[in-house]
Amino acid sequence: MKLLLRCIRRESSLQLLLALLPVLVGAALFVCCRQLGTWVSILSLGMWLTGLLLIRKALQQPSGESHPLWHTLLNNPLRIVWVYSVRTQVMPFGFYLWETGQMYFKLVDGQEICLFVPARKLRMVSRFLNKVLPHATFGYSPENAQLFRENPLQLIKNHSSLT
């Protein structure tokens, strides 16, 4: 459970860090290159303002214990009907660089929550969630995707006893 909370916090921190990038680049471009003309100044100010808006959005996003996934796992785990993970290998020109992992949590109301999880931790998190969410379906398949589109309740194990 602590690993999931760490992943939620790390994702929020990464969003904020990436939002700082256009602010810094825009400010540096404005200071260093404004003598190049009006268009460079307008571009740099646009980047700076875009970065500020992204920072504002990142700060408004719930993180930690207020994140929707954390809240759902603690207070209403029956809302989660399907969980699966995707592991992506980054291999330009066939040379392995790194792996990323994402876990998808599909909710009974058709919503989805996605969380980045270190690829090497995906199996451990999935095993833990199997214990926390015994009613949910785990693993991706085209059949599960079809069932989710038709009626998410069909993905609940023994859903006839819940209705």
Side-chain angles (χ1 to χ4, degrees):
M1 205 72 157
K2 289 180 183 179
L3 177 63
L4 282 174
L5 188 57
R6 258 186 289 155
C7 291
I8 290 169
R9 288 182 177 149
R10 184 179 55 137
E11 197 167 301
S12 298
S13 299
L14 188 59
Q15 281 181 346
L16 187 58
L17 184 66
L18 288 175
L20 282 171
L21 191 62
V23 169
L24 297 175
V25 171
L29 191 62
F30 183 76
V31 170
C32 297
C33 303
R34 66 176 168 215
Q35 68 274 9
L36 293 177
T38 306
W39 291 108
V40 174
S41 298
I42 292 171
L43 175 69
S44 62
L45 287 174
M47 287 179 69
W48 186 74
L49 287 172
T50 301
L52 288 178
L53 290 173
L54 290 172
I55 288 173
R56 181 176 168 219
K57 183 178 179 184
L59 290 174
Q60 289 175 343
Q61 295 285 331
S63 65
E65 289 85 3
S66 62
H67 192 274
L69 176 61
W70 187 258
H71 182 75
T72 302
L73 282 170
L74 291 181
N75 299 320
N76 197 359
L78 289 175
R79 285 189 64 217
I80 300 172
V81 295
W82 182 26
V83 179
Y84 64 92
S85 61
V86 175
R87 182 185 304 250
T88 306
Q89 294 182 338
V90 178
M91 296 179 61
F93 305 108
F95 295 105
Y96 174 83
L97 293 180
W98 67 80
E99 284 183 312
T100 62
Q102 290 176 283
M103 293 207 80
Y104 291 89
F105 299 83
K106 303 285 191 161
L107 307 180
V108 73
D109 58 5
Q111 292 182 347
E112 167 184 288
I113 300 173
C114 179
L115 182 67
F116 286 94
V117 177
R120 65 186 185 284
K121 303 281 186 176
L122 283 172
R123 185 172 288 141
M124 180 178 66
V125 171
S126 186
R127 273 190 253 137
F128 167 75
L129 289 171
N130 265 297
K131 295 174 186 167
V132 175
L133 305 168
H135 64 280
T137 299
F138 280 80
Y140 182 85
S141 73
E143 294 81 21
N144 288 345
Q146 180 65 28
L147 289 173
F148 184 75
R149 279 192 299 273
E150 291 172 2
N151 182 5
L153 285 173
Q154 296 179 68
L155 289 165
I156 296 176
K157 295 176 186 170
N158 300 322
H159 76 278
S160 57
S161 64
L162 294 174
T163 56

